[in-house]
Amino acid sequence: MKRPVPAEIVEQWMTHLRLQRTRARDMIFLIEQGATLHDGREGKPMHDATARWLHEQQTVVADVDRLEGLYDSING
């Protein structure tokens, strides 16, 4: 089923995706500069989650890059 989506909505989606990518890049930068993240309970770290977070943020950047490329190929 094909349904047209108004351009304004698509632009809002793209703005949101770009913001998510910016946040992910910021987190990658922090991790690369030595920040660590830990899973924990009641304020006590239980295990290092830095590698998982880094991978997740790198995936966000790659996904948004791919989606933005698709968007540009349609609207370029």
Side-chain angles (χ1 to χ4, degrees), residues 53-68:
W53 268 85
L54 180 60
H55 176 72
E56 288 172 3
Q57 301 312 303
Q58 290 168 332
T59 300
V60 168
V61 170
D63 288 347
V64 174
D65 286 347
R66 180 182 55 79
L67 291 168
E68 188 171 39

Side-chain angles (χ1 to χ4, degrees), residues 2-71:
K2 288 188 178 187
R3 252 191 243 173
V5 177
E8 298 81 27
I9 292 175
V10 174
E11 289 301 324
Q12 288 178 14
W13 289 339
M14 290 307 299
T15 298
H16 173 73
L17 288 174
R18 290 179 185 117
L19 179 59
Q20 292 304 104
R21 180 177 56 196
T22 298
R23 289 178 178 154
R25 284 181 176 158
D26 288 347
M27 183 57 72
I28 291 168
F29 173 80
L30 290 173
I31 292 170
E32 288 175 346
Q33 297 305 308
T36 58
L37 296 128
H38 294 80
D39 290 327
R41 182 173 292 145
E42 297 174 4
K44 296 179 184 169
M46 298 181 75
H47 14 31
D48 190 334
T50 307
R52 186 187 81 224
W53 268 85
L54 180 60
H55 176 72
E56 288 172 3
Q57 301 312 303
Q58 290 168 332
T59 300
V60 168
V61 170
D63 288 347
V64 174
D65 286 347
R66 180 182 55 79
L67 291 168
E68 188 171 39
L70 177 62
Y71 172 80

